[in-house]
Amino acid sequence: MNLNLIKQQYLANGFTIIKGAVKKNKIDVVKKFLSTKKKDEIFKLRKKIKAKNNQEFIRKIKIIKKQNQLKKFYTEEEIKCIAGEFPLKIRLSKIYLKIFNNEIKKIFRDIIGTKDLFVHWPPVSRFVLPKNTTAAVPAHFDKMYNSHLKDFFTCWIPLVKIDKKCGGMKFFLTNKFNHKINKINKRDVKKKIWLDKLNTRGLKSIKTILNPGDLIIFNKNLIHESLPNKSNYTRYSLDFRFFGKAKNSKKTFYSFKNKKLIKK
């Protein structure tokens, strides 16, 4: 890996793709873990609305969502699960930490410019069923959803092949990375699955094509959105928030130097 090129691309574009950063065997272990958990979670979600299979579940969820009735059937955490986010108990597993080898951590430290390296805990593990449009995150930048972090970058790792059918992420290219954040009503965050879509009219965009083992790191202010999964397989992915100073977070994080969780 060319460390200088990776850093230059990140600073110039707000993001960079690192090909083959994670070994296949590590990807496979995490994917197998999440695949098993997904079956359990989907079974429970389907049971509540008497859906016989995933296809019927997706159809019913679209109708219930359109009628604004999700809270009638599901808890807040279950609604997040419908939107593709695994429950907290699954996200707390330290199996995700095995992904990051010393070379990746060195790249991250170099980009941040610090000797220490921290990651918000827990990370977000996601699954997007085929045709589940509820799990498509509208255009946003990550600072909007992470007010507890002062300065960070996001690392997104797909566990399956990301192509035009499976979707992935779309980045909107702009030279202005320091967007002003309007005050977000916390009550609205709880009412909605996602915040309102940002206006991306006139911005050039780029869609990602990735293989398992590739990863993307991007600026906290880079506008992006997730794309629908039109393939016939589940899209699994992980996203992490990395930062270089302990004071930058108001919530629990993991210290790679001390190899332990720091709770706040």
Side-chain angles (χ1 to χ4, degrees):
M1 296 183 204
N2 189 325
L3 300 185
N4 289 332
L5 182 59
I6 289 171
K7 187 173 182 179
Q8 286 173 12
Q9 289 175 339
Y10 174 78
L11 294 175
N13 303 318
F15 77 98
T16 188
I17 298 173
I18 306 177
K19 293 285 188 180
V22 185
K23 290 184 178 180
K24 185 180 182 299
N25 63 326
K26 292 185 177 181
I27 292 291
D28 289 343
V29 168
V30 178
K31 181 184 174 184
K32 184 178 180 180
F33 168 74
L34 292 180
S35 178
T36 301
K37 298 298 182 183
K38 181 211 71 174
K39 291 177 183 176
D40 296 337
E41 296 304 318
I42 289 296
F43 178 79
K44 289 184 285 186
L45 294 174
R46 279 171 31 186
K47 190 176 180 180
K48 282 198 169 186
I49 56 172
K50 299 178 180 179
K52 296 178 182 179
N53 52 48
N54 288 354
Q55 290 75 22
E56 185 180 2
F57 170 70
I58 296 299
R59 287 197 301 271
K60 285 190 171 185
I61 285 299
K62 285 180 180 179
I63 295 170
I64 294 170
K65 183 187 175 188
K66 191 174 183 179
Q67 296 172 341
N68 200 24
Q69 293 291 311
L70 283 174
K71 287 189 176 181
K72 181 179 178 181
F73 298 93
Y74 296 109
T75 65
E76 186 176 331
E77 187 171 55
E78 286 172 336
I79 292 172
K80 286 183 178 180
C81 192
I82 291 168
E85 183 178 306
F86 278 101
L88 181 62
K89 62 184 178 182
I90 296 171
R91 295 191 293 116
L92 285 169
S93 173
K94 289 189 176 180
I95 192 173
Y96 311 116
L97 290 172
K98 296 179 180 180
I99 282 178
F100 299 103
N101 58 39
N102 290 333
E103 189 174 13
I104 297 173
K105 287 183 280 188
K106 185 179 185 304
I107 291 170
F108 290 177
R109 288 190 183 97
D110 189 50
I111 286 174
I112 296 172
T114 61
K115 291 182 179 180
D116 291 333
L117 184 65
F118 308 99
V119 64
H120 171 73
W121 200 262
V124 182
S125 48
R126 302 183 189 274
F127 68 99
V128 181
L129 295 174
K131 311 298 187 293
N132 183 12
T133 55
T134 305
V137 189
H140 67 285
F141 50 94
D142 279 5
K143 186 64 178 175
M144 292 169 60
Y145 286 94
N146 296 274
S147 58
H148 61 283
L149 288 173
K150 185 178 179 181
D151 194 16
F152 66 96
F153 69 79
T154 297
C155 172
W156 186 68
I157 305 176
L159 305 179
V160 298
K161 184 177 179 60
I162 301 297
D163 54 22
K164 290 181 179 179
K165 283 190 175 182
C166 185
M169 280 198 290
K170 180 195 286 187
F171 291 102
F172 294 92
L173 306 180
T174 172
N175 292 325
K176 298 178 180 179
F177 296 131
N178 297 316
H179 314 293
K180 289 184 178 179
I181 304 174
N182 294 326
K183 191 173 182 181
I184 298 171
N185 190 326
K186 291 183 179 179
R187 212 178 302 167
D188 287 344
V189 176
K190 290 182 179 180
K191 283 182 179 179
K192 301 176 184 178
I193 296 178
W194 309 115
L195 297 173
D196 291 337
K197 180 178 180 178
L198 293 177
N199 182 7
T200 57
R201 186 179 300 172
L203 294 179
K204 292 182 179 180
S205 64
I206 182 171
K207 296 178 182 179
T208 54
I209 303 295
L210 303 166
N211 291 311
D214 298 343
L215 62 81
I216 303 177
I217 54 176
F218 54 93
N219 187 293
K220 67 182 185 296
N221 292 318
L222 185 67
I223 299 175
H224 60 286
E225 66 184 16
S226 63
L227 299 170
N229 181 6
K230 298 179 181 179
S231 72
N232 58 1
Y233 57 89
T234 300
R235 185 172 78 214
Y236 295 99
S237 66
L238 307 171
D239 48 88
F240 302 82
R241 314 285 183 261
F242 283 92
F243 52 99
K245 296 180 181 179
K247 65 180 182 180
N248 284 357
S249 178
K250 296 179 182 178
K251 293 187 178 181
T252 300
F253 57 86
Y254 180 83
S255 168
F256 284 94
K257 181 179 180 181
N258 298 322
K259 297 182 180 180
K260 66 178 184 180
L261 290 176
I262 309 296
K263 296 184 178 182
K264 291 193 176 183

